[in-house]
Amino acid sequence: MRHRAPTRRTALKAMLAAAVLTASLTAGCTRHGTSDDGRAPHSSQTPDGRHTAGAGSVLAVKIDNTAAARPQTGLDSADVVYAEQVEGGLSRLMAVYATRLPEVVGPVRSARESDLELLRQFDRPTLAFSGAQRKLLPLIDQAPLRPETPDAASGAYYRGSDKQAPHNLYLRPAKLMARAPGEAALTTGFRYGAAPAGGTVTATRTVRYPAARFTFTWSADEKRWLVSMDGTPARTTAGKRVAAATVVVQHVRIRTSRYHDVLGNYTPFTETVGSGKAEVLRNGRSFEATWTRQEATGGTTFTGADGGPVDFADGPVWVVFAKA
């Protein structure tokens, strides 16, 4: 809460205190073996030091998706998984949890500017990430979310022995959230229901980035799209095949952002506000659609060629942002 300063001296003291705080937040750097994982801003704590989020807040986790990071942990528990392009044409995932929290999630990696726009659709989401490019940190601090990094919530993270750093940072969600917020927290704009009429029978669909690719293969037995990444079937560390009930290939504008890594590679910015073409895969069929998200604080709707909504199947949703 903001208070009006009664005197000029009080105001001056407040300004000096704010300057000291800002300096302390930006002085350090926790890189975790990468060039873009910096020190994240502080988050709120309870009196006993426990980091918790509001009951209606989803948990969003940035997950590494390089070959060295696989197999991932906890990815199969996500309600929604977003796939985005990052530096060098590689991919990174954002897993969103609302209906259940896995015991462990990871490997956790750094945030990007695009994440801030994407997460505005949720009410004060908790963002778990390993850090960010230093100049991006002030924007994360100002965003309407709860940033949680190893610096801010060290007890929630640990280094595993299964992989080499930086691909071995894991999160225990229960250390950040007392419980899953529930389905109502998924304010994505997605509709769920019976499949629309029509569609094209589709056995497999591949989306390519310059240095990564996602393939979704329909399994009639499991009634799921089985996920493969870079030509390899995706499995969790427990050996479970990663799958989705609905896959969305969302064609978006991908432009160069203001931020880059230590090698000078600029980070792509994925624009998720606006409109464009999309493909919705469900029940072994592909449905042509148009996506619309009028403002960052709203969800995304999908409309079919007949002007009606394209409903999703019950279960996990994967959204792959493809260049329009």
CSV table of all heavy atoms in Angstrom, one decimal, residues 4 18 37 40 52 58 64 66 71 75 77 87 97 99 111 120 129 143 170 180 190 193 200 206 239 247 296 317 324:
chain,number,residue,atom,x,y,z
A,4,ARG,N,1.1,8.7,1.6
A,4,ARG,CA,1.5,10.0,1.3
A,4,ARG,C,2.6,10.5,2.4
A,4,ARG,O,2.3,10.4,3.6
A,4,ARG,CB,0.4,11.0,1.3
A,4,ARG,CG,0.8,12.4,0.9
A,4,ARG,CD,-0.4,13.3,0.9
A,4,ARG,NE,-1.5,12.9,0.0
A,4,ARG,CZ,-1.5,13.1,-1.3
A,4,ARG,NH1,-0.5,13.9,-1.8
A,4,ARG,NH2,-2.4,12.7,-2.1
A,18,ALA,N,14.6,3.3,-1.0
A,18,ALA,CA,14.2,2.6,-2.2
A,18,ALA,C,15.4,2.4,-3.1
A,18,ALA,O,15.6,1.4,-3.8
A,18,ALA,CB,13.2,3.4,-3.0
A,37,ASP,N,21.0,-16.5,-16.7
A,37,ASP,CA,20.3,-16.8,-15.5
A,37,ASP,C,20.8,-15.9,-14.4
A,37,ASP,O,21.8,-16.2,-13.8
A,37,ASP,CB,20.4,-18.3,-15.1
A,37,ASP,CG,19.7,-19.2,-16.0
A,37,ASP,OD1,18.9,-18.7,-16.8
A,37,ASP,OD2,19.9,-20.4,-15.9
A,40,ALA,N,17.0,-13.1,-9.5
A,40,ALA,CA,15.6,-12.7,-9.6
A,40,ALA,C,15.2,-11.8,-8.4
A,40,ALA,O,15.9,-11.8,-7.4
A,40,ALA,CB,14.7,-13.9,-9.6
A,52,THR,N,4.7,-18.8,-0.1
A,52,THR,CA,3.4,-19.3,-0.5
A,52,THR,C,2.7,-18.4,-1.5
A,52,THR,O,3.0,-17.2,-1.6
A,52,THR,CB,2.4,-19.5,0.7
A,52,THR,OG1,2.3,-18.2,1.3
A,52,THR,CG2,3.0,-20.5,1.7
A,58,VAL,N,-2.1,-19.9,-10.3
A,58,VAL,CA,-1.5,-21.1,-10.9
A,58,VAL,C,0.0,-21.0,-10.7
A,58,VAL,O,0.6,-20.0,-10.4
A,58,VAL,CB,-1.8,-21.1,-12.5
A,58,VAL,CG1,-3.2,-21.2,-12.8
A,58,VAL,CG2,-1.1,-19.9,-13.2
A,64,ASP,N,13.6,-26.5,-19.0
A,64,ASP,CA,14.7,-26.7,-20.0
A,64,ASP,C,14.2,-27.7,-21.0
A,64,ASP,O,13.6,-28.7,-20.6
A,64,ASP,CB,15.9,-27.2,-19.2
A,64,ASP,CG,17.2,-27.0,-20.1
A,64,ASP,OD1,17.1,-26.8,-21.3
A,64,ASP,OD2,18.3,-27.2,-19.5
A,66,THR,N,16.5,-28.7,-23.8
A,66,THR,CA,17.6,-29.2,-24.6
A,66,THR,C,17.8,-30.7,-24.4
A,66,THR,O,17.2,-31.3,-23.5
A,66,THR,CB,18.9,-28.5,-24.2
A,66,THR,OG1,19.2,-28.7,-22.8
A,66,THR,CG2,18.8,-27.0,-24.5
A,71,PRO,N,15.4,-36.8,-19.8
A,71,PRO,CA,14.0,-36.6,-19.7
A,71,PRO,C,13.7,-35.6,-18.5
A,71,PRO,O,14.4,-35.5,-17.6
A,71,PRO,CB,13.5,-38.0,-19.3
A,71,PRO,CG,14.7,-38.6,-18.6
A,71,PRO,CD,15.9,-38.1,-19.3
A,75,LEU,N,6.5,-33.1,-16.0
A,75,LEU,CA,5.9,-32.4,-17.2
A,75,LEU,C,4.5,-33.0,-17.4
A,75,LEU,O,3.6,-32.3,-18.0
A,75,LEU,CB,6.8,-32.6,-18.4
A,75,LEU,CG,6.5,-31.8,-19.6
A,75,LEU,CD1,6.5,-30.3,-19.3
A,75,LEU,CD2,7.5,-32.1,-20.7
A,77,SER,N,2.3,-33.8,-15.4
A,77,SER,CA,1.2,-33.3,-14.5
A,77,SER,C,0.7,-31.9,-14.8
A,77,SER,O,-0.3,-31.5,-14.2
A,77,SER,CB,1.8,-33.2,-13.0
A,77,SER,OG,2.2,-34.5,-12.6
A,87,GLU,N,16.8,-18.4,-28.0
A,87,GLU,CA,18.0,-18.1,-28.7
A,87,GLU,C,18.5,-19.3,-29.5
A,87,GLU,O,18.4,-20.5,-29.0
A,87,GLU,CB,19.1,-17.6,-27.8
A,87,GLU,CG,18.7,-16.3,-27.0
A,87,GLU,CD,17.9,-16.6,-25.8
A,87,GLU,OE1,17.5,-17.7,-25.5
A,87,GLU,OE2,17.7,-15.6,-25.0
A,97,TYR,N,0.5,-25.3,-13.9
A,97,TYR,CA,-0.1,-26.3,-13.0
A,97,TYR,C,-1.3,-25.6,-12.2
A,97,TYR,O,-1.1,-24.6,-11.6
A,97,TYR,CB,0.9,-26.9,-12.0
A,97,TYR,CG,2.1,-27.6,-12.7
A,97,TYR,CD1,3.2,-26.8,-13.1
A,97,TYR,CD2,2.0,-28.9,-12.9
A,97,TYR,CE1,4.3,-27.5,-13.7
A,97,TYR,CE2,3.1,-29.6,-13.5
A,97,TYR,CZ,4.2,-28.8,-13.9
A,97,TYR,OH,5.2,-29.5,-14.5
A,99,THR,N,-4.5,-28.0,-11.4
A,99,THR,CA,-5.4,-29.0,-10.8
A,99,THR,C,-4.6,-30.0,-10.0
A,99,THR,O,-5.1,-30.7,-9.1
A,99,THR,CB,-6.1,-29.8,-11.9
A,99,THR,OG1,-5.2,-30.5,-12.8
A,99,THR,CG2,-7.0,-28.9,-12.7
A,111,ALA,N,13.8,-17.3,-17.5
A,111,ALA,CA,12.6,-16.7,-18.0
A,111,ALA,C,12.9,-15.8,-19.2
A,111,ALA,O,14.1,-15.4,-19.4
A,111,ALA,CB,11.8,-15.8,-17.0
A,120,ARG,N,0.0,-12.8,-18.2
A,120,ARG,CA,-1.0,-11.8,-17.8
A,120,ARG,C,-2.4,-12.3,-17.8
A,120,ARG,O,-3.3,-11.7,-17.1
A,120,ARG,CB,-0.9,-10.5,-18.7
A,120,ARG,CG,0.3,-9.6,-18.5
A,120,ARG,CD,0.3,-8.9,-17.2
A,120,ARG,NE,-0.9,-8.1,-17.0
A,120,ARG,CZ,-1.1,-6.9,-17.5
A,120,ARG,NH1,-0.1,-6.3,-18.3
A,120,ARG,NH2,-2.2,-6.2,-17.3
A,129,PHE,N,11.5,-19.9,-11.9
A,129,PHE,CA,12.5,-19.9,-13.0
A,129,PHE,C,13.8,-19.7,-12.3
A,129,PHE,O,13.9,-19.3,-11.1
A,129,PHE,CB,12.2,-18.7,-13.9
A,129,PHE,CG,12.2,-17.3,-13.3
A,129,PHE,CD1,13.2,-16.4,-13.6
A,129,PHE,CD2,11.2,-16.9,-12.4
A,129,PHE,CE1,13.2,-15.1,-13.1
A,129,PHE,CE2,11.2,-15.7,-11.8
A,129,PHE,CZ,12.2,-14.8,-12.2
A,143,ALA,N,6.0,-6.8,-12.9
A,143,ALA,CA,4.9,-7.6,-13.5
A,143,ALA,C,4.0,-8.1,-12.4
A,143,ALA,O,4.4,-8.3,-11.3
A,143,ALA,CB,5.5,-8.8,-14.3
A,170,TYR,N,16.0,-28.4,-9.9
A,170,TYR,CA,14.7,-28.9,-9.7
A,170,TYR,C,13.9,-28.2,-8.7
A,170,TYR,O,14.5,-27.6,-7.7
A,170,TYR,CB,14.7,-30.4,-9.4
A,170,TYR,CG,15.2,-31.3,-10.5
A,170,TYR,CD1,16.6,-31.6,-10.6
A,170,TYR,CD2,14.4,-31.7,-11.5
A,170,TYR,CE1,17.1,-32.4,-11.7
A,170,TYR,CE2,14.9,-32.5,-12.6
A,170,TYR,CZ,16.2,-32.8,-12.7
A,170,TYR,OH,16.7,-33.5,-13.7
A,180,ALA,N,-2.8,-27.1,-4.9
A,180,ALA,CA,-3.1,-26.7,-6.3
A,180,ALA,C,-4.4,-25.8,-6.2
A,180,ALA,O,-5.3,-26.1,-5.5
A,180,ALA,CB,-3.4,-27.9,-7.1
A,190,PHE,N,-9.6,-21.1,-22.9
A,190,PHE,CA,-9.9,-22.3,-23.6
A,190,PHE,C,-11.3,-22.9,-23.3
A,190,PHE,O,-11.7,-22.8,-22.1
A,190,PHE,CB,-8.9,-23.4,-23.3
A,190,PHE,CG,-7.5,-23.1,-23.6
A,190,PHE,CD1,-6.4,-23.8,-23.0
A,190,PHE,CD2,-7.2,-22.0,-24.4
A,190,PHE,CE1,-5.1,-23.5,-23.3
A,190,PHE,CE2,-5.8,-21.6,-24.7
A,190,PHE,CZ,-4.8,-22.4,-24.1
A,193,GLY,N,-15.2,-29.4,-24.5
A,193,GLY,CA,-16.5,-30.0,-24.9
A,193,GLY,C,-16.3,-31.0,-26.0
A,193,GLY,O,-15.2,-31.4,-26.3
A,200,THR,N,-9.9,-32.8,-40.4
A,200,THR,CA,-9.1,-33.6,-41.3
A,200,THR,C,-8.5,-34.7,-40.5
A,200,THR,O,-7.8,-34.4,-39.5
A,200,THR,CB,-8.1,-32.8,-42.0
A,200,THR,OG1,-8.7,-31.7,-42.7
A,200,THR,CG2,-7.3,-33.7,-43.0
A,206,THR,N,4.0,-32.2,-37.2
A,206,THR,CA,5.3,-31.7,-36.7
A,206,THR,C,5.4,-30.2,-36.9
A,206,THR,O,5.0,-29.7,-37.9
A,206,THR,CB,6.5,-32.4,-37.6
A,206,THR,OG1,6.4,-33.8,-37.3
A,206,THR,CG2,7.8,-31.9,-37.1
A,239,GLY,N,9.6,-42.6,-16.7
A,239,GLY,CA,9.4,-43.5,-17.8
A,239,GLY,C,8.1,-43.3,-18.5
A,239,GLY,O,7.7,-44.0,-19.5
A,247,VAL,N,-3.7,-30.6,-28.9
A,247,VAL,CA,-2.5,-29.8,-29.3
A,247,VAL,C,-3.0,-28.6,-30.1
A,247,VAL,O,-3.8,-28.8,-31.0
A,247,VAL,CB,-1.6,-30.7,-30.1
A,247,VAL,CG1,-0.4,-29.9,-30.6
A,247,VAL,CG2,-1.1,-31.9,-29.3
A,296,ALA,N,-3.8,-8.5,-23.1
A,296,ALA,CA,-2.9,-9.4,-22.3
A,296,ALA,C,-3.6,-10.0,-21.1
A,296,ALA,O,-3.3,-11.1,-20.7
A,296,ALA,CB,-1.7,-8.6,-21.9
A,317,VAL,N,-3.3,-29.9,-22.3
A,317,VAL,CA,-3.2,-29.1,-23.6
A,317,VAL,C,-1.7,-28.7,-23.8
A,317,VAL,O,-1.1,-28.1,-22.9
A,317,VAL,CB,-4.1,-27.8,-23.5
A,317,VAL,CG1,-3.9,-27.0,-24.8
A,317,VAL,CG2,-5.5,-28.2,-23.3
A,324,ALA,N,4.3,-17.2,-37.8
A,324,ALA,CA,3.3,-17.0,-38.8
A,324,ALA,C,3.9,-16.7,-40.1
A,324,ALA,O,5.0,-16.2,-40.2
A,324,ALA,CB,2.4,-15.8,-38.4
